[in-house]
Amino acid sequence: MTAAVRWNNSITEFIEIRSGVLQETNLLTLNKNKSRIMVFRNRGKVARSERWYWGQSPLSVTSKYTYLGYPLTPSISFTQVALNYRGRTMAAMGAVGEIILKSKLKSFHASMRLLDSMILTVLLYAAPIWAHDQALILDRIQDTFLRHFLCLPSYTPGYILRAETGRNSLDITVKKLTLKFWTRILKMDGSRLPSICLAHLWDISISSKQNIGLVKSITELLNNTGFSWLVGSTDFNILQRYIPIIIRTATDQSLQLDNVRRPAKFWPINLNKVIQYETFGVASGQRLEDQQKLTSTKSSNMKPLESHLVKG
């Protein structure tokens, strides 16, 4: 598939789109036999008037395409992406199960290392982009592995498995990966594509009050953990300082949710009811100073999209 990129006429593109007609630029040639068009939309069929041509030759419109292991759909459904990765992960789980059986592995620690290194790496590929709000599908993979290894019934609840094994919900892992990805982007040069894309998403959030993609994941995580003042921050040092607190807060919230679901006859999960910022090396005075600093500089840091783009 040949991709066409057009962004405010500022990124050098090799295909120009004008009235449904694709034209060659930059001396690159399109392979018409391998090229497909995908029209992104919320729902419904493609309109009959939706026709795409390469010169005089029509190009077919597809409803599904996998690019670099990432399945694309017209509605950009992340649930379909999660189900796709779950199918791949089940194959990896079968391979790990065979290793455990042949080696007669009984070490729980070693089995968890296999889970993290051979199964979850497949499941959480590019997770910061698509795994937001997919915790239910993700946790089923981890729960299935734990049941098989511990020889437990298939109806054993996931919150019991997590409490007894000390494993967190994979939603916490996704949150860690999301924050790590965000900090990596902040350290990039403004001409890099991830930096350009994130700047564009922030601009959409400001102009239309609509959070999508990575910005939605970041915004909801910070709002739910009491760090809404960090939304839109471009200060890497300040963000890095509070990441451990954000993750700890999200982890405690996840444990509390599991604790509520546990029957009264089971002992409660040991939780830290109050998170002290000093415990993480950040005093309350420092937090207030950082908050005031970001509040005063955020408007100047949130530049329009054009300032982040490479002039082609």
Side-chain angles (χ1 to χ4, degrees):
M1 179 179 181
T2 302
V5 179
R6 185 173 181 83
W7 214 335
N8 284 3
N9 298 322
S10 299
I11 297 180
T12 302
E13 68 272 28
F14 64 88
I15 291 180
E16 292 185 358
I17 304 178
R18 295 193 181 117
S19 302
V21 178
L22 305 182
Q23 301 174 353
E24 293 182 7
T25 62
N26 293 353
L27 303 180
L28 295 178
T29 304
L30 178 74
N31 188 330
K32 293 180 289 186
N33 296 327
K34 295 183 179 180
S35 299
R36 300 292 183 273
I37 296 294
M38 178 177 290
V39 180
F40 292 97
R41 58 196 185 278
N42 291 330
R43 61 181 64 87
K45 298 181 179 180
V46 178
R48 292 184 178 181
S49 60
E50 192 77 54
R51 296 290 185 269
W52 296 86
Y53 299 87
W54 183 261
Q56 300 298 324
S57 303
L59 296 176
S60 60
V61 177
T62 185
S63 60
K64 186 177 181 181
Y65 185 79
T66 301
Y67 181 70
L68 295 179
Y70 189 94
L72 297 172
T73 59
S75 61
I76 317 181
S77 172
F78 292 148
T79 299
Q80 292 300 321
V81 177
L83 294 175
N84 178 275
Y85 281 113
R86 185 182 70 175
R88 297 183 183 186
T89 306
M90 295 305 294
M93 187 181 298
V96 171
E98 187 175 352
I99 293 174
I100 293 176
L101 289 176
K102 289 185 177 180
S103 62
K104 298 181 180 180
L105 181 64
K106 296 182 180 180
S107 170
F108 179 77
H109 176 72
S111 66
M112 293 302 100
R113 293 290 297 273
L114 289 174
L115 171 63
D116 292 332
S117 61
M118 298 185 64
I119 297 178
L120 298 187
T121 52
V122 177
L123 178 63
L124 299 179
Y125 177 79
I129 305 300
W130 61 266
H132 178 66
D133 286 340
Q134 301 299 329
L136 182 61
I137 295 177
L138 298 179
D139 280 336
R140 286 176 180 173
I141 298 295
Q142 178 174 255
D143 295 346
T144 299
F145 181 86
L146 293 175
R147 292 190 194 100
H148 288 175
F149 182 79
L150 299 175
C151 300
L152 295 174
S154 59
Y155 51 81
T156 305
Y159 58 87
I160 296 295
L161 292 170
R162 290 189 289 272
E164 295 298 329
T165 60
R167 302 280 300 186
N168 288 323
S169 168
L170 292 185
D171 186 50
I172 301 302
T173 304
V174 171
K175 288 179 169 60
K176 291 179 181 178
L177 294 174
T178 300
L179 291 176
K180 183 178 179 180
F181 185 46
W182 185 20
T183 55
R184 286 180 58 191
I185 294 177
L186 291 181
K187 291 191 293 183
M188 293 179 182
D189 184 82
S191 61
R192 297 281 301 277
L193 279 178
S195 179
I196 294 172
C197 291
L198 182 58
H200 181 63
L201 291 176
W202 283 123
D203 286 345
I204 293 176
S205 175
I206 294 173
S207 61
S208 64
K209 305 298 182 181
Q210 181 181 8
N211 296 324
I212 58 176
L214 183 60
V215 166
K216 180 179 180 180
S217 304
I218 294 172
T219 302
E220 291 191 3
L221 171 58
L222 296 180
N223 288 339
N224 292 338
T225 53
F227 288 88
S228 57
W229 54 277
L230 281 173
V231 173
S233 171
T234 57
D235 192 317
F236 168 78
N237 294 323
I238 291 181
L239 179 61
Q240 192 75 12
R241 187 179 301 147
Y242 290 96
I243 284 181
I245 311 175
I246 296 171
I247 294 302
R248 177 62 182 273
T249 305
T251 302
D252 281 357
Q253 291 173 348
S254 178
L255 291 175
Q256 290 172 1
L257 182 61
D258 281 349
N259 193 36
V260 170
R261 298 172 63 187
R262 290 163 63 88
K265 62 180 180 181
F266 292 102
W267 60 89
I269 301 174
N270 184 20
L271 300 174
N272 293 326
K273 296 182 179 180
V274 180
I275 299 177
Q276 300 293 336
Y277 293 106
E278 290 75 9
T279 304
F280 300 93
V282 180
S284 58
Q286 178 67 56
R287 182 176 187 269
L288 180 60
E289 180 182 344
D290 291 337
Q291 187 172 354
Q292 292 174 344
K293 179 180 178 182
L294 284 182
T295 302
S296 61
T297 60
K298 187 178 295 184
S299 58
S300 60
N301 287 335
M302 293 297 293
K303 302 177 182 178
L305 173 63
E306 288 74 9
S307 63
H308 296 269
L309 297 180
V310 182
K311 301 301 180 181

